[in-house]
Amino acid sequence: MTPSTPAVTTVPAVVPAAFRLLAALAVLAAVVGQWVRSVESPVYQFANFFGYFTIQSNLIAAVAFVVGAVFLLRRREAPEWSVVLRGAAATYMVTTGIVYNVLLTDVALDNSFNVQWSNDTLHKWIPLFALLDWVLVGDRGRIAWRRLWVFLVYPLVWVVVVLLRGQSFVPYPFLDVERLGAGGVAVWCLVIAVVIAGLSAAVIWLSRWRVLGVDHEPARGGSGQGAPQRSGS
């Protein structure tokens, strides 16, 4: 007898959709909570607040969560662009989590006017959720390897803009040219670029697997949704 392929547990589409919408609301609440506190700073600037990679990556993730939830609730297969968006958002959130928890946990960022619950939400809980959502929930097709460059566009543009602004905006200590010198900042940028590229590749590879299938049918029994996805070659 030919051994059967292990079945993948299937969950109703409304379950991951609800979690994604809650995560998007959590991002919005955390950003607003931090913004309300930050405007009290005498050096507050709108462009600086929304210039942080943390804020931007979380907002990108919130959009990706909502888009993914909408396709689930409409019981439609996610189109390629939305899968790439979700994968890129997962990459950026994991990057945010790693950089913060490895490099910035004990660093007091100047003029941050930090709100602890918001800080934990944006740097710890949402990155963890984005990772688990990508790894576990299989409402996605495989991302082609040629899409990897798409994942790198936003981080590259962000770094270029920050560096062009010079000392007027130094969001993180490892981008402080005055303190580290151009060479030191260049080394840190290279290290983080390698990390992001590696995470992007991992996210694309993981798109070929799934742990939980999603039932897109209103209320009918198995229709093949439980079959695990694997890459052909």
Side-chain angles (χ1 to χ4, degrees):
M1 296 178 61
T2 303
S4 58
T5 304
V8 172
T9 302
T10 302
V11 297
V14 68
V15 174
F19 276 108
R20 287 176 188 172
L21 292 176
L22 287 173
L25 287 174
V27 169
L28 183 61
V31 170
V32 171
Q34 181 59 66
W35 177 75
V36 168
R37 180 74 178 95
S38 296
V39 295
E40 298 174 1
S41 168
V43 295
Y44 165 81
Q45 292 186 37
F46 180 89
N48 289 354
F49 179 83
F50 287 99
Y52 281 92
F53 188 88
T54 293
I55 299 296
Q56 294 181 10
S57 63
N58 271 273
L59 292 175
I60 291 172
V63 171
F65 294 154
V66 171
V67 169
V70 167
F71 282 111
L72 283 174
L73 293 175
R74 295 180 66 184
R75 303 189 183 280
R76 290 179 50 190
E77 294 291 339
E80 182 186 16
W81 67 266
S82 71
V83 176
V84 172
L85 172 63
R86 183 175 154 219
T91 300
Y92 307 150
M93 290 313 305
V94 173
T95 301
T96 295
I98 290 175
V99 171
Y100 175 80
N101 290 286
V102 172
L103 300 176
L104 303 174
T105 302
D106 299 320
V107 176
L109 301 179
D110 293 337
N111 304 313
S112 64
F113 276 62
N114 183 59
V115 176
Q116 193 59 49
W117 68 267
S118 171
N119 186 73
D120 289 343
T121 299
L122 300 177
H123 291 105
K124 297 179 180 180
W125 302 120
I126 297 302
L128 178 60
F129 173 80
L131 174 62
L132 293 177
D133 181 64
W134 182 258
V135 171
L136 296 179
V137 186
D139 61 321
R140 45 168 163 68
R142 295 179 296 178
I143 299 177
W145 286 106
R146 66 178 182 275
R147 302 298 184 198
L148 191 147
W149 70 271
V150 177
F151 287 50
L152 307 179
V153 171
Y154 161 65
L156 177 60
V157 171
W158 181 84
V159 167
V160 169
V161 170
V162 168
L163 293 179
L164 286 176
R165 294 188 63 185
Q167 293 301 119
S168 67
F169 179 55
V170 182
Y172 305 109
F174 49 81
L175 294 176
D176 191 342
V177 176
E178 216 170 65
R179 186 169 66 90
L180 300 178
V185 170
V187 169
W188 274 112
C189 288
L190 179 61
V191 169
I192 294 175
V194 170
V195 169
I196 293 177
L199 290 173
S200 299
V203 163
I204 291 175
W205 178 77
L206 285 169
S207 72
R208 285 143 173 78
W209 299 82
R210 65 179 177 179
V211 176
L212 296 176
V214 176
D215 183 7
H216 288 85
E217 298 300 322
R220 295 192 308 209
S223 58
Q225 292 291 331
Q229 287 187 340
R230 299 187 60 177
S231 60
S233 58

